[in-house]
Amino acid sequence: MTPSTEPGHGAGHPFEDWALDPAVRHLNHGSYGAVPRAALAAQQALRTEMDAGPDPWFRGLPERVAHARTRLARYLRTPPEDLALVANASAGVSAVLGSITLPPDSEVLLTDHAYGAVVWAVERAARRAGARVRTVHVPLSATAEEITARVGAALAAGPVSLLVVDQITSATARVFPVADLVEAAHSAGARVLVDGAHGPGMLADPLAHAGAADYWVGNLHKWPCTPRGTGALVARGPLAQELYPVVDSWGAPEPFPQRFDHQGTADLTAWLAAPEALEFIERRYGWDAARARMTRLADEAQRTLAAALGRTGDLAALAACAAPAMRLVPLPAGLAADQEAAHALQRRVSARTGCDVACTTWNGRGFLRLSAHLYNDPADYAHLAELLPACLAECRAGTETTAHAHAPGAQAADAAHGDAHAHAPGAHVDAQD
């Protein structure tokens, strides 16, 4: 299939399988996902049924959720009795942290690649329990062996009761050696909660990759392309029976995971339609072939954008542990140095280029985080590469002007010229929440 140079790609292109705006190049799948038309149609049919007969719908909903959960467990290669459905990975993290008991004066261990909302949830849980949070620095260039060594040393240094670790990091697109980290944590007497938000779809078997983790949470609305609001919480054995939903409903007396199947009058059509998305991609493309295509495209996208920005020399340091379908390209110094600046830059690049992208920040460094999915092709990234250098040059000029405006003695001079600099609120986030 010959890629088109125009957004939308023309009839017959995989883009047509998704309900995406054809006037935009969608290069940020990792944040919010995209849903195939087939799954949206299935969800709409379910909503119509729900609204036509609320009484029979909600009375029979737990059984339908259990059936969908069984089909989703098959995709994740885990027994259905080990899997509960949740709204997203952050909801799964909150369910775990709200259910377990952290010993007073113990530590919860994170890395400095952890997702922001997860960090906040861990900090709040630690405060409630009288525990402490400790963060391990992991360099971007770290190999799997180096990551394991750093986390292992941190585990040995203190009374760690819980390790919370990413499977694939959000802002930095790194794959962590989770199974090895789990083994090290268990040897130190700590439980492990794996944030696998990006694992499903990118990894063929994310739960096997997580080894003997005590708790694993993952999003299905990201790379597997299910309707948004679909996530999974996996726990095994006696530990699973400690877990309860964030909101208790009529399933509270039931065992895990059945107690999660009862969510009152919540619209759970996303959960029921989720298997259609997974099965559609398998029928249309095949999941193994889809993953291989996404990885090849991510490689090409990174090379294309790095060459356009003159950053090809930086790629070797980012090669270790790179995520299969996400890649980083360093931005020029001074851009996206914090979350507010990254958010503002992301919106400016989108407006200037017609490409939805992710600008991330980590330890004061800004990056373009590229995603590659089935509806993308090389022409998407070539288009961004053509327009991005001039866009970033404009942004750097604006940044330098702003810095001058805040320099001592500069404000009065700028006021005489009526200069004003707007700062967009907010920060780059993924839809893990």
Side-chain angles (χ1 to χ4, degrees):
M1 179 178 303
T2 302
S4 169
T5 59
E6 298 298 326
H9 308 284
H13 192 282
F15 185 90
E16 300 304 311
D17 290 333
W18 274 263
L20 292 166
D21 182 354
V24 176
R25 294 179 188 269
H26 302 269
L27 308 183
N28 187 21
H29 186 94
S31 285
Y32 304 108
V35 187
R37 296 179 188 277
L40 290 175
Q43 184 180 19
Q44 185 54 53
L46 290 164
R47 281 180 171 150
T48 299
E49 181 184 350
M50 174 179 66
D51 291 329
D55 194 272
W57 172 270
F58 285 106
R59 291 186 186 282
L61 186 56
E63 288 75 19
R64 297 179 78 158
V65 169
H67 178 65
R69 175 165 54 79
T70 298
R71 296 167 70 187
L72 295 172
R74 188 180 308 122
Y75 174 78
L76 290 171
R77 307 183 189 185
T78 193
E81 60 267 24
D82 294 343
L83 184 149
L85 292 177
V86 290
N88 46 52
S90 291
V93 167
S94 294
V96 172
L97 294 175
S99 299
I100 66 175
T101 300
L102 297 173
D105 296 323
S106 69
E107 292 185 338
V108 182
L109 201 63
L110 297 165
T111 78
D112 56 357
H113 297 253
Y115 185 67
V118 171
V119 174
W120 295 333
V122 167
E123 290 174 343
R124 188 161 66 91
R127 284 195 301 271
R128 288 198 308 267
R132 300 179 299 277
V133 178
R134 186 153 50 98
T135 303
V136 182
H137 172 59
V138 176
L140 272 180
S141 60
T143 63
E145 293 76 15
E146 290 167 343
I147 296 170
T148 302
R150 282 177 174 265
V151 174
L155 287 163
V160 179
S161 59
L162 180 67
L163 169 65
V164 182
V165 64
D166 296 76
Q167 188 163 46
I168 297 176
T169 64
S170 175
T172 55
R174 310 285 92 192
V175 180
F176 276 16
V178 177
D180 292 338
L181 299 180
V182 170
E183 185 176 349
H186 286 174
S187 296
R191 295 184 185 183
V192 183
L193 167 57
V194 176
D195 179 359
H198 288 273
M202 261 208 272
L203 303 176
D205 193 346
L207 288 164
H209 179 269
D214 301 286
Y215 317 101
W216 176 94
V217 297
N219 281 326
L220 297 177
H221 77 260
K222 286 182 182 287
W223 303 93
C225 300
T226 70
R228 294 168 191 86
T230 309
L233 164 60
V234 174
R236 304 179 180 94
L239 293 182
Q241 297 310 319
E242 299 178 359
L243 302 181
Y244 283 80
V246 175
V247 177
D248 284 325
S249 188
W250 287 102
E254 298 188 20
F256 178 94
Q258 285 87 347
R259 61 176 68 118
F260 283 77
D261 293 345
H262 295 253
Q263 295 293 313
T265 54
D267 181 351
L268 301 184
T269 55
W271 294 4
L272 304 186
E276 176 57 35
L278 305 177
E279 292 161 11
F280 169 79
I281 292 178
E282 178 59 36
R283 291 192 306 269
R284 176 85 159 87
Y285 305 96
W287 271 105
D288 290 339
R291 276 186 284 270
R293 183 184 187 279
M294 289 188 282
T295 297
R296 290 193 302 270
L297 186 54
D299 285 336
E300 183 173 351
Q302 185 186 43
R303 290 192 298 267
T304 298
L305 269 299
L309 300 182
R311 307 307 296 260
T312 54
D314 298 329
L315 298 188
L318 298 172
C321 300
M326 292 194 299
R327 294 287 188 278
L328 293 183
V329 175
L331 291 169
L335 290 179
D338 57 39
Q339 288 186 332
E340 183 177 354
H343 182 76
L345 179 62
Q346 180 171 330
R347 297 176 74 170
R348 187 163 183 174
V349 170
S350 178
R352 175 73 169 76
T353 67
C355 300
D356 283 341
V357 299
C359 296
T360 68
T361 186
W362 182 80
N363 282 1
R365 298 171 60 187
F367 298 90
L368 183 69
R369 192 195 70 183
L370 301 170
S371 296
H373 213 281
L374 292 166
Y375 52 81
N376 296 127
D377 65 29
D380 291 330
Y381 305 98
H383 175 82
L384 179 60
E386 180 181 353
L387 299 178
L388 188 62
C391 178
L392 295 184
E394 293 170 4
C395 293
R396 289 191 70 183
T399 300
E400 291 167 0
T401 302
T402 302
H404 170 72
H406 290 86
Q411 291 183 358
D414 284 348
H417 289 281
D419 288 350
H421 303 286
H423 299 279
H428 168 77
V429 294
D430 282 351
Q432 180 161 326
D433 302 328

